[in-house]
Amino acid sequence: MHIDQNKIKSFERRYRANFINSLGGFKSVVLVGTKSTKHHENLSVVSSLFHIGADPALCGFVIRPNEETENTLGNIVSGRRYTLNHIHEGIYRQAHQCSARYPAGESEFAATGLHPEYLPGFDAPFVAESHIKIGCELVQKTDIELNGTFLIIGKIVQVLLPDNSIQADGFVDLEHAGTMTCSGLDSYHHPQKGIRLSYAKTDQPIHEL
Amino acid sequence: MHIDQNKIKSFERRYRANFINSLGGFKSVVLVGTKSTKHHENLSVVSSLFHIGADPALCGFVIRPNEETENTLGNIVSGRRYTLNHIHEGIYRQAHQCSARYPAGESEFAATGLHPEYLPGFDAPFVAESHIKIGCELVQKTDIELNGTFLIIGKIVQVLLPDNSIQADGFVDLEHAGTMTCSGLDSYHHPQKGIRLSYAKTDQPIHEL
């Protein structure tokens, strides 16, 4: 089945959103935790998280056009700190509920029953119920002029994760931690146990680790 | 278990790469197909693909510091067109092998036994064996000065996918297509059947679709 750009353009708006959002494959899905200058806590669902580099440890995500008010974008720009919290079976419904449009200042923690958790000296809320949690400092906000979205790049400065989830070579076992993945705008999935493959070289076959 | 930025900094280089690469959750993993000005075909593995917008249909990925020669970066900049090909059980070992450092001009298609496939008027190779394939036109290359990487943003102009993989509302069933996800640098996973949740509203509970 072949679909070209004219066909994509002709799709009804919601249909196109579902189609394009699911086309890129399975995605990381996290809750982004922030706090406003008025000390209101906020959670939002982000499924565009991507790896940028390991040294310095950097990751990015895309955030939609929005006024910089008491919301994820505004809070990241004003507070410079934010958290990324993995989603597992026990909280994925509450996590999805955080994508509803609550009024500014109304906490998604209170609305969904998730609990904020803090590390000393780091003024952004983690999700207590999450198993893998990352604290970031904003290092760059880039405008994507093509569609008015913003690219948020952060440095990873805090990590909270379960004991025994790191393997001998630094690999974090996400399946052990119950981390889910998503596709499209609303589909949540459990990956099955993964198969690790050896570092690829041109002169020898790869093998399972 | 708490790991802060000083601890991350202290990790051995390869350990840190495994740790940070797996920390962000499950990722989209695709083969990027390009062709050089000398008409050599190239494939590389990318696991940083992310959604930017549906109208226009845009997606991005990060590419490592590199000279713009006969490689993925050079070919995208010179040819402006590239393909993103989903990875499934039948080809994930060949796909992983494409991450080996073949000399410029040596085709990963030939080295791995994958086959190039073309659409009329679109001069970048798709992977014939892949089930979901996307053709993109480069719209923006942004330098990420923090670590010398590049952000490649493309417009989705071609899509090839199996019949019956699009649901009534535009959602593409990736599990039906056998699309895999990855974690870290080398772990490949099959997601189980997903659960779709309804559009979240502040005044009503979500339900399964």
Side-chain angles (χ1 to χ4, degrees):
Chain A
M1 190 175 179
H2 177 215
I3 294 171
D4 66 11
Q5 58 183 324
N6 294 325
K7 182 87 176 173
I8 294 172
K9 194 77 190 165
S10 77
F11 286 159
E12 180 272 329
R13 192 182 67 85
R14 195 76 201 159
Y15 186 98
R16 181 173 51 235
N18 280 323
F19 180 73
I20 297 294
N21 267 281
S22 47
L23 206 56
F26 291 101
K27 301 180 281 193
S28 171
V29 57
V30 293
L31 282 169
V32 178
T34 55
K35 190 190 259 191
S36 76
T37 52
K38 294 175 182 168
H39 307 293
H40 294 139
E41 293 161 338
N42 186 288
L43 280 178
S44 64
V45 186
V46 161
S47 64
S48 56
L49 186 66
F50 59 96
H51 172 83
I52 297 178
D55 187 25
L58 299 170
C59 62
F61 65 88
V62 175
I63 197 159
R64 286 204 242 180
N66 220 330
E67 294 214 36
E68 286 182 18
T69 171
E70 278 199 278
N71 55 29
T72 299
L73 178 62
N75 295 352
I76 289 176
V77 171
S78 63
R80 314 286 299 180
R81 287 172 172 189
Y82 55 98
T83 69
L84 308 171
N85 305 271
H86 285 212
I87 293 169
H88 57 78
E89 177 119 45
I91 60 171
Y92 79 102
R93 286 168 171 269
Q94 288 154 292
H96 189 70
Q97 182 62 40
C98 292
S99 62
R101 295 172 185 268
Y102 291 100
E106 188 170 332
S107 167
E108 286 82 5
F109 283 104
T112 63
L114 294 170
H115 294 89
E117 177 186 33
Y118 285 87
L119 281 177
F122 191 82
D123 201 25
F126 293 90
V127 175
E129 289 82 358
S130 177
H131 295 161
I132 297 185
K133 318 170 206 194
I134 304 165
C136 290
E137 286 178 3
L138 176 66
V139 286
Q140 189 175 312
K141 170 177 163 267
T142 299
D143 295 13
I144 300 180
E145 291 171 10
L146 296 159
N147 67 349
T149 55
F150 303 97
L151 178 65
I152 301 293
I153 298 179
K155 184 178 177 191
I156 297 173
V157 295
Q158 309 280 1
V159 180
L160 292 163
L161 74 177
D163 292 341
N164 305 321
S165 59
I166 309 179
Q167 295 184 358
D169 63 356
F171 176 79
V172 180
D173 187 341
L174 302 180
E175 195 219 358
H176 173 85
T179 296
M180 296 179 85
T181 177
C182 81
S183 65
L185 291 161
D186 53 27
S187 188
Y188 295 82
H189 304 251
H190 273 296
Q192 293 176 346
K193 180 138 191 65
I195 296 165
R196 294 189 68 189
L197 298 179
S198 59
Y199 191 82
K201 300 191 172 184
T202 57
D203 60 351
Q204 53 187 260
I206 51 172
H207 58 271
E208 292 186 19
L209 294 183
Chain B
M1 190 174 180
H2 177 216
I3 293 171
D4 66 10
Q5 59 182 322
N6 294 325
K7 183 86 175 173
I8 294 171
K9 193 77 189 166
S10 76
F11 286 158
E12 181 272 328
R13 191 183 67 86
R14 195 77 201 160
Y15 186 99
R16 182 174 51 237
N18 280 323
F19 181 72
I20 297 295
N21 267 283
S22 47
L23 206 56
F26 292 102
K27 301 179 282 191
S28 170
V29 57
V30 293
L31 282 169
V32 178
T34 55
K35 190 190 259 191
S36 76
T37 52
K38 294 176 182 167
H39 307 294
H40 294 140
E41 294 162 337
N42 185 289
L43 280 179
S44 64
V45 186
V46 160
S47 64
S48 57
L49 186 67
F50 60 96
H51 172 84
I52 297 178
D55 187 26
L58 300 171
C59 61
F61 65 88
V62 176
I63 197 159
R64 287 204 242 180
N66 220 331
E67 294 214 36
E68 285 182 19
T69 169
E70 277 198 279
N71 55 28
T72 300
L73 178 62
N75 294 352
I76 288 176
V77 171
S78 64
R80 315 286 297 180
R81 287 174 172 185
Y82 54 98
T83 68
L84 308 171
N85 305 272
H86 285 213
I87 293 169
H88 58 78
E89 177 120 43
I91 60 170
Y92 79 102
R93 285 168 171 270
Q94 288 155 294
H96 188 70
Q97 182 62 39
C98 293
S99 62
R101 295 172 184 269
Y102 292 99
E106 187 169 333
S107 168
E108 287 81 6
F109 283 104
T112 63
L114 294 169
H115 294 88
E117 177 186 32
Y118 286 86
L119 280 178
F122 191 83
D123 200 25
F126 294 90
V127 175
E129 290 82 357
S130 177
H131 296 160
I132 298 185
K133 319 170 207 194
I134 304 166
C136 289
E137 285 178 2
L138 176 66
V139 286
Q140 188 175 312
K141 169 178 163 265
T142 299
D143 295 12
I144 300 180
E145 291 172 11
L146 296 159
N147 67 350
T149 55
F150 303 97
L151 179 65
I152 300 293
I153 298 179
K155 184 178 177 192
I156 297 172
V157 295
Q158 309 280 1
V159 180
L160 292 162
L161 74 179
D163 291 340
N164 305 319
S165 58
I166 309 178
Q167 296 184 357
D169 63 356
F171 176 79
V172 180
D173 188 341
L174 301 180
E175 195 219 355
H176 173 85
T179 296
M180 296 180 86
T181 176
C182 80
S183 65
L185 291 161
D186 53 28
S187 189
Y188 294 81
H189 304 252
H190 273 296
Q192 294 176 345
K193 179 138 191 64
I195 295 166
R196 294 189 68 189
L197 298 178
S198 59
Y199 192 82
K201 299 190 173 184
T202 58
D203 61 351
Q204 52 187 262
I206 52 174
H207 57 272
E208 291 185 17
L209 294 182

